[in-house]
Amino acid sequence: MNGEMEATTQDDLLKLLEAMKVALPQKDLTKYKTSESHLDWQKVAFNSYTAEMCKQKWQEVSKEIRKFRTLTELIVDAQDYIKNPYKGKKIKKHPDFPKKPLTPYFRFFMEKRAKYAKLHPEMSNLDLTKILSKKYRELPDKKKKKYVDDFLRDKESFVISMMKFREEHPDLVESMTKKGSNVPEKPKTPQQLWYNHEKKAFLKTHPDATTKDIKDSLGKQWTQLSDKKRLKWIGKSLEQRKLYEGTMREYIQQHPELNMTQNDIVKSTLTKAERHLKDKSDGRPDKPPPNGYSMFCAELMSNMKDVPSTERMVMCSQRWKLLKQAEKDGYQKRCEQRKKEYEIEMNRFLSSLSEEEQQRVLSEEKIGFRRGAGANSPASKKKNTKANPEKPKRPISAMFIFSEEKRPKLQQERPDLSDSELTRLLARMWNELPDKKKEKYKRLETVLKAESEKKEKEDRSRLPDPPKTAQDIWQQSVIGDYLARFKNDRQKAQKAMEATWSTMEKKEKIMWIKKAAEDQKRYERDLCEMRSPAATIASGKKMKFEGEPKKPPSNGYQKFSQEMLSNGELNHLPMKERMTEIGSRWQRLPLKNKDNYKKIAEEKQRQYKVQLEQWLASLSSQERNTYKEYNSQKRRTTAKPGGPKAKAKKSKEADEDDDDDEEDDDEAEDKENKSEESSSESNSQGSSDSDSD
């Protein structure tokens, strides 16, 4: 088979790629590996080539091209590679490409190396190179002339053969001539300018110093420079960049054949810190805190240098809660005043800048506003969950569509209003809008909602990544070492890895076989989740059903704790201490009061059952089934294996397995809760020191 594949012609390979294109789905959006594993190679097979032969040849071709896109896009790259395998960086591997002549020094080095290696066998290659380079420098011009003449003679023949190569292969040479040698030099950064200046001064005092010595002595000095000295080099770097921009624009106009654009010009030579320092020296004001709480924290933290950073914010929030409302309002007023002053100073600073610089500063302000909005407020203390990039965005509401439509007009009419005031005004306008006019925006909302649901279904239908074999996982872990050993020759590295794997003992392979089994489980789990999206919903965040009545407290203790938490009496305590205090107060409560709370909870439970029955009756059969499936899944995920509670639940569920009615399920759940909570009450009354409640 291998002999047949080696003899494959270019036309046959292109036919193979065309057949693969036809076999792929029209919307190929999955990873290329996934598409490759699900591709029907029987459909791809043509003429005398079997499916296995086609697959093997594709794998040989795919090693030569990039693999970070879809399979459809990769096939286009593969077609280009087959038509012209020496395009780009691989041009030097072309059999007709002339070899560059060796330099005079390299000729001398190659001639003398073997002799010096015999004389000094204990020396390393690096030491030999140092000796030979020193010898070449000390060589008289008469002896050097021999090597120089040989080099010039070979160079002339190289130029002639290169011209011949260009004539014979104009399409290959096109990529070489894209970047001309006369392209203007890029501007240097402030640190590079300073380093070059200091390097010259250092070499005057230390003429024998190596580059390593210079780097070691000058490495950390730049960060320790004063702001004044650093600003000097920042100014020089900006001057260089202006000159570079002018010369680069002229160069682009003079060489249209290079297809270079304004994006190829280096935009900035300064780091973020250097840019901030430059702006501050030019008079840019410091940004004020966004609210009164942030101002209070900033002032308090300036005196907390000895306090660990993890405890600072906790202390700040606790002290803020102890402040009176009048004091909080005072901080807010000061913050508003500081914002007004900042706007005046910012406008003054912007007027002194050019248009380009103004745009840059304003864009930075917008980004900073988005990042820092409400970051320090107590309300934002909840942990930010990581946004999933694959999760589809929620469709925008009718009110949002209305506000987006009216906002530009309002901004022109009322330029004095801020963004937040505009939003409030638009919300008021939406509330006052007649229902007939609202219908237009609600229709748009339903259309967008339908589109997002459709997109979500399409995303679910995508297949997960196929499982990897033990050999694949092992190769992935060691490929870096093999590539380094074979100087980035992927084919040689691949063959060496395959040979090593085949000689490995079973004991050595066990770890990788286990990992492959885990990956297989992951694949099966992903497939199950893809086929049953309800399970994934249940395992994630709490699913919300429109109109579902709110679940009441299941016992007296829960009702009491809800009351204590809502009245704000214990807000000054952390949550753990708050719950401990509620438990101890419940223990001290008279039995009559406990019975009252129990009666209220039971009454609420009865009302909830009636409301739940009415709500379930109003649902469609499909929605009712979804609700039942969600609740059953939730019970499975929340049930703890072992322990008295789990056993109680199991016994209850076993008794009520035959009842499919939602009403019976809810009653069973309520009974379980009551039995559990009553047991916890008796335990808490029995032991006064226990904090289990």
Side-chain angles (χ1 to χ4, degrees), residues 332-375:
Q332 193 61 39
K333 281 176 186 175
R334 277 170 61 197
C335 183
E336 293 297 328
Q337 183 61 35
R338 182 74 193 87
K339 280 180 184 176
K340 285 174 186 176
E341 289 170 8
Y342 172 75
E343 280 177 21
I344 295 161
E345 288 171 16
M346 195 64 182
N347 288 331
R348 196 183 297 143
F349 171 67
L350 287 169
S351 61
S352 65
L353 301 175
S354 62
E355 284 184 20
E356 284 181 16
E357 288 293 300
Q358 281 180 10
Q359 286 175 0
R360 177 187 63 77
V361 172
L362 290 168
S363 65
E364 283 174 12
E365 287 292 305
K366 283 178 185 175
I367 291 162
F369 173 75
R370 284 194 210 108
R371 281 179 188 164

Side-chain angles (χ1 to χ4, degrees), residues 532-573:
S532 57
T536 57
I537 292 164
S539 63
K541 288 185 178 180
K542 188 181 176 184
M543 195 173 173
K544 289 183 181 178
F545 295 91
E546 198 175 341
E548 183 191 1
K550 194 178 179 183
K551 210 164 189 180
S554 57
N555 52 48
Y557 173 71
Q558 276 192 16
K559 176 65 187 163
F560 173 74
S561 62
Q562 272 186 13
E563 199 176 279
M564 291 298 293
L565 289 167
S566 59
N567 65 17
E569 190 182 333
L570 305 173
N571 280 3
H572 63 285
L573 294 171

Side-chain angles (χ1 to χ4, degrees), residues 375-599:
N376 297 321
S377 62
S380 68
K381 270 189 173 183
K382 291 178 182 179
K383 290 180 183 178
N384 296 322
T385 53
K386 288 182 181 179
N388 186 1
E390 292 177 9
K391 192 177 178 184
K393 290 181 181 178
R394 285 176 66 190
I396 54 175
S397 63
M399 186 218 166
F400 195 84
I401 297 164
F402 165 79
S403 63
E404 286 297 299
E405 189 184 289
K406 302 289 178 187
R407 188 180 285 274
K409 193 180 174 184
L410 266 175
Q411 280 175 334
Q412 287 177 351
E413 290 174 4
R414 303 285 301 276
D416 55 313
L417 293 176
S418 66
D419 285 344
S420 55
E421 287 168 337
L422 265 174
T423 308
R424 284 194 213 106
L425 183 61
L426 285 162
R428 213 176 299 132
M429 285 166 70
W430 171 256
N431 292 332
E432 291 165 5
L433 203 70
D435 291 336
K436 281 185 180 179
K437 289 185 178 180
K438 278 184 182 179
E439 278 176 19
K440 169 191 163 184
Y441 301 103
K442 283 177 181 176
R443 261 185 259 116
L444 278 169
E445 184 187 354
T446 52
V447 170
L448 289 168
K449 195 175 182 182
E451 282 177 8
S452 73
E453 283 172 2
K454 191 181 176 184
K455 195 178 178 184
E456 199 172 338
K457 281 177 186 175
E458 284 175 7
D459 289 344
R460 280 182 195 154
S461 66
R462 289 180 190 173
L463 289 167
D465 291 342
K468 291 174 184 173
T469 62
Q471 189 176 347
D472 288 341
I473 296 167
W474 173 78
Q475 284 183 0
Q476 205 172 356
S477 67
V478 298
I479 193 164
D481 300 334
Y482 277 82
L483 284 171
R485 195 189 301 170
F486 291 99
K487 297 180 181 177
N488 288 338
D489 192 330
R490 194 168 281 274
Q491 285 182 344
K492 284 182 183 176
Q494 186 69 30
K495 283 175 186 174
M497 283 193 290
E498 284 168 7
T500 310
W501 177 261
S502 60
T503 56
M504 275 170 75
E505 291 181 11
K506 198 172 181 181
K507 284 181 183 178
E508 294 174 297
K509 290 181 182 178
I510 281 170
M511 184 176 80
W512 307 105
I513 291 163
K514 283 180 182 176
K515 286 188 178 181
E518 285 170 16
D519 198 46
Q520 179 67 34
K521 283 179 186 175
R522 184 267 314 160
Y523 175 72
E524 286 166 8
R525 188 169 61 249
D526 289 354
L527 269 179
C528 289
E529 285 177 1
M530 188 192 76
R531 286 170 188 158
S532 57
T536 57
I537 292 164
S539 63
K541 288 185 178 180
K542 188 181 176 184
M543 195 173 173
K544 289 183 181 178
F545 295 91
E546 198 175 341
E548 183 191 1
K550 194 178 179 183
K551 210 164 189 180
S554 57
N555 52 48
Y557 173 71
Q558 276 192 16
K559 176 65 187 163
F560 173 74
S561 62
Q562 272 186 13
E563 199 176 279
M564 291 298 293
L565 289 167
S566 59
N567 65 17
E569 190 182 333
L570 305 173
N571 280 3
H572 63 285
L573 294 171
M575 184 52 74
K576 197 174 179 182
E577 291 176 24
R578 219 181 285 180
M579 293 313 295
T580 310
E581 179 63 26
I582 289 167
S584 62
R585 286 193 187 190
W586 173 258
Q587 287 169 11
R588 292 197 298 272
L589 210 68
L591 198 62
K592 276 186 182 180
N593 293 7
K594 285 183 181 178
D595 289 339
N596 286 339
Y597 279 112
K598 196 175 180 182
K599 282 173 187 175

